[in-house]
Amino acid sequence: MAGAAARPTTGAPRPVSAFPGTAPAVAGPALVTSLGEVRTVADVAVTGSGGPGTGRTFTGRVLPAAHGAPVTLEHWAGTWRTVDEATTGPDGAFVLHAVTERLGNAQYRVTAPAWLGRPDASSPALDVGAYGDLRDVLPPDEPCLGAAATVEPTCDDSARTGRIRPDPRRGVGWHRDTDGAFTCFHGETDVPVERCTYGSGRPDALHVALVGDSHAAMVLPALRDAAPLLNWQLDSYAAARCLLADPGPVEDECHFRRGDLLRRLLGGRYDVVILTGYRQTAAAPEAIALALRRLLGTGAVVLVVGDGPKLDDATLACATTPTATVDEVLACAMPRAAALQPSDPLLAAHALAPGTVLADTVAHMCSPTDCRPVVGHVMAYRDLHHATATFGRSVLPYRLNLVVDALEERAARGGGMVG
């Protein structure tokens, strides 16, 4: 599967023949000569970040060590294309450089050509991203719209006086602001969760899974539209109830679906898994954390998106009163402590699964004292607890910047991926 070779789920390199136009040989970490000698391209790490046109440095070693052995850095562009060449130092170490060409994920590999009777060897394909700050790549339609208004210190949304998008006082457009979120969604617990695939179809795409319940479905529209820009292939696994967790006892109604979904995710060789769900899920934090730790074991970056606040009836009614002025709608609020009840089990599960990354939704929707249905002149809710698609678009860059940071950190540790 393209985009997944650096993930340690099977320990096996991806065949070069997975890419159209390449020779049917194995581009693995080692090849063996007739004399039994094993040669490897080892400990490859990538440093550097930023958008297209920024530099990346590839370091590692060719083993067994030999001074002056040639190494090349190749970029997948329909075929493997050489972008840099160097020779190894006395300990087999090398340094190679590349400049990223376009937004999003791309793949590179380091190859040590045959030399002085030693066989050639290549690293697995390495996912290397060129993202930069995704607030610049995926900006709102207008500055300071939605989530940005709560976290950007320079935001001034006074120019939008008199406007709310979608306007909760006008018909039911705000309630229907889903943008296709539920086109791949079901409620049955005795059938597998349907997988729907969106985004890039290129063989070097990064593989991303979105997992959860109806709250995950409301994350989908913005992520679906961003995926092709970033060269991400997105698999959505969204279904009512039965949030991803350890399957639990066989008599539990969610046992089959959770077990089946977890097996599929573990076998999917995903680069990134994004999990979110309703704070009133029946899944226990400890069971969610067990599933999260197993996903981390595949080498995936795991983003836990904390749930948003839950409104009460009076606050939603305040915001949707047809005769209210814009200022009156903007003033509708409820105490933060009440809006965050019951406590979010995803936050507890994140704490029990070190290595997961947390996206704090509440920080984009609440002040230290209260939570409001309208955030940055965007109606953030389509009912008491589901976000609107419009608000989801405004908060997406902040969530994905966390993913990019995690990919970059993993690459610097030798994980083969970089933001």
Side-chain angles (χ1 to χ4, degrees), residues 150 334-340 362-372:
T150 64
M334 65 179 291
R336 177 183 173 118
L340 301 187
V362 174
H364 295 277
M365 303 185 78
C366 300
S367 74
T369 58
D370 59 41
C371 300
R372 299 174 184 268

Side-chain angles (χ1 to χ4, degrees), residues 22-375:
T22 57
V26 173
L31 294 176
V32 183
T33 69
S34 59
L35 298 178
E37 181 182 21
V38 176
R39 196 168 186 231
T40 64
V41 177
D43 304 325
V44 180
V46 189
T47 54
S49 62
T54 54
R56 300 292 184 272
T57 299
F58 296 71
T59 58
R61 300 179 68 198
V62 178
L63 300 174
H67 191 192
V71 287
T72 62
L73 178 63
E74 299 172 316
H75 171 227
W76 175 255
T79 60
W80 287 111
R81 177 170 59 86
T82 298
V83 295
D84 194 21
E85 299 177 328
T87 56
T88 58
D91 60 353
F94 60 81
V95 179
L96 294 158
H97 302 280
V99 175
T100 57
E101 296 181 0
R102 60 179 173 179
L103 178 67
N105 191 67
Q107 288 192 329
Y108 293 78
R109 70 177 183 183
V110 177
T111 297
W115 183 72
L116 296 182
R118 290 185 169 91
D120 61 333
S122 295
S123 72
L126 306 166
D127 291 298
V128 176
Y131 301 105
D133 188 338
L134 292 180
R135 292 176 299 177
D136 300 325
V137 177
L138 307 171
D141 296 336
E142 301 176 37
C144 298
L145 191 69
T150 64
V151 295
E152 301 292 347
T154 60
C155 267
D156 178 8
D157 61 357
S158 60
R160 279 188 292 276
T161 299
R163 290 185 292 152
I164 302 173
R165 299 174 50 182
D167 196 326
R169 303 167 301 161
R170 306 286 183 259
V172 294
W174 62 277
H175 178 62
R176 295 175 178 170
D177 185 10
T178 62
D179 193 15
F182 295 96
T183 56
C184 184
F185 187 86
H186 64 77
E188 298 83 2
T189 61
D190 59 348
V191 296
V193 177
E194 184 178 1
R195 182 188 71 182
C196 294
T197 301
Y198 310 90
S200 175
R202 288 167 45 189
D204 59 347
L206 201 74
H207 281 222
V208 179
L210 172 65
V211 185
D213 55 18
S214 58
H215 286 210
M218 289 310 306
V219 173
L220 175 61
L223 190 57
R224 173 199 66 205
D225 293 350
L229 299 175
L230 304 177
N231 192 26
W232 290 7
Q233 183 180 99
L234 172 65
D235 288 345
S236 171
Y237 299 89
R241 302 158 57 211
C242 298
L243 191 66
L244 181 70
D246 181 77
V250 293
E251 59 269 20
D252 189 309
E253 69 164 339
C254 292
H255 174 84
F256 165 76
R257 204 174 82 181
R258 286 179 176 147
D260 175 77
L261 178 57
L262 187 56
R263 282 191 296 273
R264 291 159 70 193
L265 292 171
L266 293 173
R269 303 184 72 193
Y270 287 103
D271 298 288
V272 178
V273 178
I274 301 172
L275 173 67
T276 194
Y278 186 28
R279 63 177 56 245
Q280 289 190 222
T281 178
E286 296 80 8
I288 299 172
L290 273 175
L292 293 177
R293 290 197 294 268
R294 294 189 68 184
L295 290 171
L296 287 171
T298 69
V301 168
V302 179
L303 178 72
V304 178
V305 178
D307 195 24
K310 182 181 178 183
L311 300 181
D312 58 22
D313 292 321
T315 304
L316 185 62
C318 173
T320 57
T321 301
T323 57
T325 66
V326 168
D327 286 344
E328 287 172 338
V329 173
L330 295 179
C332 296
M334 65 179 291
R336 177 183 173 118
L340 301 187
Q341 294 301 319
S343 60
D344 186 356
L346 284 172
L347 302 186
H350 160 70
L352 293 170
T356 57
V357 179
L358 177 66
D360 183 0
T361 301
V362 174
H364 295 277
M365 303 185 78
C366 300
S367 74
T369 58
D370 59 41
C371 300
R372 299 174 184 268
V374 177
V375 178

